[in-house]
Amino acid sequence: MRQLQEQKASKEQNNNNASNNHSLVTMLHQIQETYNYLPENVLRELAKEKNIPLVDLYRVATFYSLFSLTPKGKHKILTCTGTACHVRGSEKVTEEISRVLGIQPGETTEDGEYSLEAVNCLGACALAPLVVVDEQYHANMTPAQIGALFNGVRKSTCQDKESSHCHCSSVAVGSKEKS
Amino acid sequence: MLEMTLNGLEIQVEPGTTLLEAANFYGIEIPTLCYDAGLSPIGACRLCLVEIGSPDRSRLVSACTFPAQKGLEIRTHSKRVINARKLLIEMYLATCPSSKTIQDLASKHHVTRVRFKQKHDDCILCGLCVRICEEQMQAKAIEFIGRGHELRISTFFDKKSEDCRHCGACMYICPVCQARCQGPQEKDAVCNACLNLEPPCLEEFEDAMCYMDPCVACEQGHEPRKGCSQRKEGS
C-alpha cells in the first residue's frame, strides 16, 4: 500500500517537475518534502526524466547537509549551536532533548517519529537559545522548558501506542505555543 | 597579443591562454598534479602556484587557471613560490607516500623530509579521473561526493555504476595509482633518489626488464629483483 502511494507521489512529482524547469536543488527539495528523505529509486527516475547524470544528483545530495539519504522522522527538531545560542547554553538544551528523546543529534527515534539535528545557526540570534520543532520557533529555551515541551509528547505517545498514526507531537508543540 | 613579463623576460601570448600554458610555451617547467592538457583545469592541486604582481604587492595564484593579462609580472621560481611548492609536495608525501609520481616530485624538488603525520591515503582529490570520465569518455560515472574533509570520489550511492564502460581512463590518468617500487625501504620513507640512476637490470640484461619505470635507487647495492631473474629463466 505504502509503495503504491509512493509510486503515485513520485509520478506526481515527476509531472510537476516536467512542467516547471526547476533547478536541481529545488527538485531535490521537493522530493525531500514528499518523502522526508531522498530515496534512491526516486533519484533514478528523476535522472531519467531530466536527463541528468545520476552521480550529479548524488553529488548535490551529499554536498548539502539539508538533504538526507536515509529516512528522517516525521517531526524535525532543530537545535541551534551557533555562537549566540552556545553562549546562552544551547549545549545543555541539546543534551536535555537528547535525554528526553533518547537520540543523539543527527539520529532518528526508532519509531520514526522524531529526528534531531544540531544546526550551526538559524539566523535568529536574538532568540537564543533556539529550538525549532516542525518549523515552529521556540525562543529562549532552557533545559527545564524542554522537559515541559516533551512531557506531553511522551505521555501521549504512551496513550497512542495502540494506534499507528500518532500525532502527539503536534499536540505538544501546540500546547507549548499557547503557554 | 598580450605582453607580459615572465621571470623578467618580455613575452607575448594569445589572449585566453593561461599562465601555465604561457610558461610551458616558453620552456619554463611548472610542476602539476591535477593538470592535463586535454581536460579543463580546476586548480585543485595548487602545485602550479606562481607569483604575480610587483614584488611588494605580489600574490600566489594557480597558473593552470589564471588567464593571461596585459602587463602581468609573473615569477615562476621565486623563493616564495619554491617554498610554497615544497611545502605542498611535503604534504602530498604525507598523504600518499605510495605514489611514484609524488615520490618523483619530491626528489625533483629536493623535499627530503616529511614533518606531518604520515597517512596512507590512495587519493589526493585532484579530480583528474572525474574530469576524464566526463569530458573525454562522456560517461560521467564518478564524481566528488560529500564535502570538506569527507570529500571523496565515488559512484551513485557507492554502487557499481551503470554508466561506467570499464575503459580504465580514470586509472590511466591517476597520479597516485602508479605505485612506487617497494624496495628495501620502509613504506613511509621518502625515497628521494629516483633521479639520474640507471636501472640495475641493465648490468645483467640487454634491456631494462623491470615492469616499472626506472625508479630503482632503492635497488642499488641489492640483489636484482625476483621478477628480473624469473624473466631471465623464462627467456
Side-chain angles (χ1 to χ4, degrees), chain B residues 4-218:
Chain B
M4 303 193 295
T5 319
L6 179 65
N7 291 346
L9 183 78
E10 296 286 328
I11 61 162
Q12 285 188 329
V13 294
E14 296 270 352
T17 47
T18 61
L19 299 188
L20 183 68
E21 286 164 345
N24 284 344
F25 181 77
Y26 281 92
I28 290 166
E29 201 188 325
I30 297 175
T32 56
L33 274 176
C34 74
Y35 175 79
D36 189 276
L39 303 173
S40 57
I42 59 169
C45 75
R46 314 309 293 175
L47 268 186
C48 65
L49 286 178
V50 293
E51 198 179 359
I52 57 165
S54 58
D56 53 331
R57 298 190 66 178
S58 69
R59 63 191 176 111
L60 296 176
V61 295
S62 58
C64 68
T65 52
F66 201 88
Q69 285 171 8
K70 197 164 190 265
L72 205 63
E73 243 181 83
I74 312 156
R75 287 173 297 283
T76 61
H77 287 76
S78 66
K79 197 174 175 184
R80 190 176 167 195
V81 170
I82 285 171
N83 282 342
R85 225 174 254 164
K86 281 174 87 168
L87 182 67
L88 279 166
I89 293 171
E90 197 179 329
M91 288 195 276
Y92 279 120
L93 260 185
T95 317
C96 293
S98 60
S99 159
K100 175 172 160 51
T101 316
I102 293 171
Q103 289 284 354
D104 285 355
L105 266 177
S107 300
K108 204 168 182 179
H109 295 269
H110 304 284
V111 178
T112 52
R113 56 177 180 166
V114 177
R115 289 166 293 181
F116 304 103
K117 196 183 162 198
Q118 191 75 53
K119 288 201 283 181
H120 294 282
D121 286 357
D122 48 12
C123 183
I124 54 167
L125 299 169
C126 65
L128 276 175
C129 53
V130 171
R131 281 175 286 153
I132 202 166
C133 191
E134 183 186 356
E135 294 171 19
Q136 295 292 343
M137 299 304 155
Q138 317 286 329
K140 192 122 196 186
I142 47 176
E143 249 302 355
F144 285 105
I145 302 299
R147 183 172 54 159
H149 71 280
E150 285 169 348
L151 190 67
R152 64 204 161 87
I153 284 167
S154 189
T155 53
F156 181 69
F157 270 84
D158 304 331
K159 288 177 182 166
K160 195 178 167 202
S161 176
E162 294 141 32
D163 301 317
C164 176
R165 299 194 300 268
H166 305 280
C167 65
C170 44
M171 284 189 283
Y172 165 77
I173 205 159
C174 178
V176 180
C177 280
Q178 191 187 11
R180 67 191 266 214
C181 63
Q182 293 293 350
Q185 281 185 329
E186 288 277 319
K187 240 188 177 180
D188 52 0
V190 186
C191 183
N192 255 189
C194 291
L195 299 173
N196 307 319
L197 286 165
E198 281 182 23
C201 306
L202 280 180
E203 291 170 13
E204 294 188 36
F205 308 105
E206 286 174 10
D207 302 311
M209 303 288 281
C210 293
Y211 61 90
M212 284 182 176
D213 287 344
C215 169
V216 290
C218 47

